[in-house]
Amino acid sequence: MDAVTSAAARIILICSGKGGVGKTTLTANLGIALAKLGERTVVLDADFGLRNLDLLLGLENRIVYTAQEVLAETCRLDQALVKHKQEPNLALLPAGNPRMLEWLTPDDMKKIVAMLAERFDYVLIDCPAGIEDGFKNAAAAAKEAIVITTPEVSAVRDADRVIGLLNTRGVAPVQLVLNRVRPKMMANQEMLAVDDVTDILALPLLGLVLEDEQVIVSTNRGEPLTLNGTASPAARAYQNVARRLRGENVPLIDPSKERQGLRAQLKRMLTKKIF
């Protein structure tokens, strides 16, 4: 990837508070979606303890150097960046050895991100879960943030704590992606409603991702849903998040109407005459 100057690079922290809510999956799919829209995009795996971003992108076998060697100046940034095999506008900067946690500082993260911002339009930082040193290091370089959560009380509570920390650090804007939305459970009041979550967290809603088993399939294959233009609900949601980030006016789905649409579709199938 050619070296270019991108003075207006957007540096976006993708964080959650609670682990296992889909943060890394969002990072991978959003990275692919932005790249497909023509944006020079890099995803930085800042989870040095449990790195998984390379697996989700199918790039684990192509890693030679990591952010650790870049900071130690034993390799150039170009050598550590792993260009995606099918999407040339996307690159990965892998996390280093877990021992990096012992000496990595917020200034180190700022240095790495500043180098990336000179070359890319979007720098997506996959933040470790929790609010400990890993989060503080990753957040040090962020200009804006996407908080992802699921409609569960514990996940929303943890997200609220992270939002408070982001606000004290002056990170803005902070936007929300609500993941694993199940319209039927929401309708039956077995899951927090969208309005409940947005009222509690007081964040603008950037995207709703419906529960989709294809997410698990794609993760196991190392092929993000947005890579091949699949029409699955989650793929469309990730693509729409990318478009909204770029300033496009893309309507949000209505979970209640989504459920009604599926029910109406089933009804049509059952009543269709067979000749």
Side-chain angles (χ1 to χ4, degrees):
M1 189 170 293
D2 296 333
V4 296
T5 300
S6 182
R10 294 183 64 180
I11 303 167
I12 305 174
L13 183 73
I14 299 179
C15 53
S16 61
K18 182 179 173 62
V21 298
K23 171 180 50 60
T24 302
T25 300
L26 173 63
T27 305
N29 279 281
L30 183 55
I32 291 284
L34 286 168
K36 282 186 171 294
L37 291 170
E39 305 286 0
R40 298 184 302 268
T41 305
V42 61
V43 289
L44 168 59
D45 193 344
D47 192 345
F48 298 102
L50 297 169
R51 77 182 199 197
N52 284 311
L53 191 52
D54 55 334
L55 290 172
L56 268 65
L57 289 168
L59 300 176
E60 68 276 8
N61 294 326
R62 299 184 60 202
I63 294 173
V64 179
Y65 298 107
T66 70
Q68 183 174 8
E69 285 77 32
V70 175
L71 285 169
E73 299 183 353
T74 57
C75 80
R76 301 186 312 274
L77 179 62
D78 282 340
Q79 294 175 295
L81 287 171
V82 183
K83 185 184 290 187
H84 196 275
K85 294 173 287 187
Q86 294 164 265
E87 184 42 68
N89 281 330
L90 180 71
L92 163 73
L93 182 58
N97 190 293
R99 287 194 297 272
M100 281 188 73
L101 287 171
E102 299 172 5
W103 57 265
L104 188 76
T105 68
D107 285 341
D108 290 325
M109 187 62 68
K110 289 178 182 178
K111 180 179 178 181
I112 281 285
V113 170
M115 295 169 67
L116 295 172
E118 293 178 356
R119 298 167 174 263
F120 295 93
D121 301 313
Y122 283 82
V123 180
L124 305 181
I125 305 172
D126 184 20
C127 180
I131 56 173
E132 305 304 326
D133 288 345
F135 167 81
K136 294 173 184 175
N137 289 335
K143 302 299 184 185
E144 53 187 293
I146 297 172
V147 175
I148 180 168
T149 187
T150 54
E152 304 167 61
V153 172
S154 61
V156 172
R157 182 188 62 183
D158 289 353
D160 189 48
R161 296 182 67 189
V162 164
I163 293 164
L165 292 174
L166 293 172
N167 290 338
T168 61
R169 291 171 175 269
V171 177
V174 180
Q175 302 181 82
L176 176 67
V177 169
L178 190 55
N179 194 28
R180 296 178 189 156
V181 173
R182 300 185 182 187
K184 183 178 179 181
M185 291 184 70
M186 284 185 172
N188 293 337
Q189 297 185 348
E190 297 169 341
M191 175 178 279
L192 290 173
V194 174
D195 288 345
D196 294 333
V197 178
T198 54
D199 287 347
I200 294 168
L201 299 181
L203 290 182
L205 192 55
L206 185 62
L208 292 170
V209 184
L210 296 178
E211 181 72 39
D212 187 345
E213 64 182 17
Q214 288 302 311
V215 172
I216 300 174
V217 175
S218 69
T219 297
N220 288 334
R221 290 178 176 172
E223 298 176 357
L225 285 175
T226 50
L227 182 61
N228 298 313
T230 177
S232 78
R236 291 197 303 271
Y238 296 134
Q239 290 159 354
N240 287 341
V241 168
R243 292 171 60 194
R244 293 188 194 102
L245 269 181
R246 297 174 77 236
E248 295 184 42
N249 184 16
V250 183
L252 288 160
I253 63 168
D254 184 333
S256 62
K257 290 182 179 179
E258 192 77 17
R259 179 172 177 245
Q260 291 171 3
L262 292 172
R263 186 165 52 193
Q265 182 181 358
L266 178 60
K267 185 177 180 180
R268 286 196 300 272
M269 291 172 61
L270 294 175
T271 58
K272 184 178 180 180
K273 293 182 179 179
I274 302 176
F275 296 96

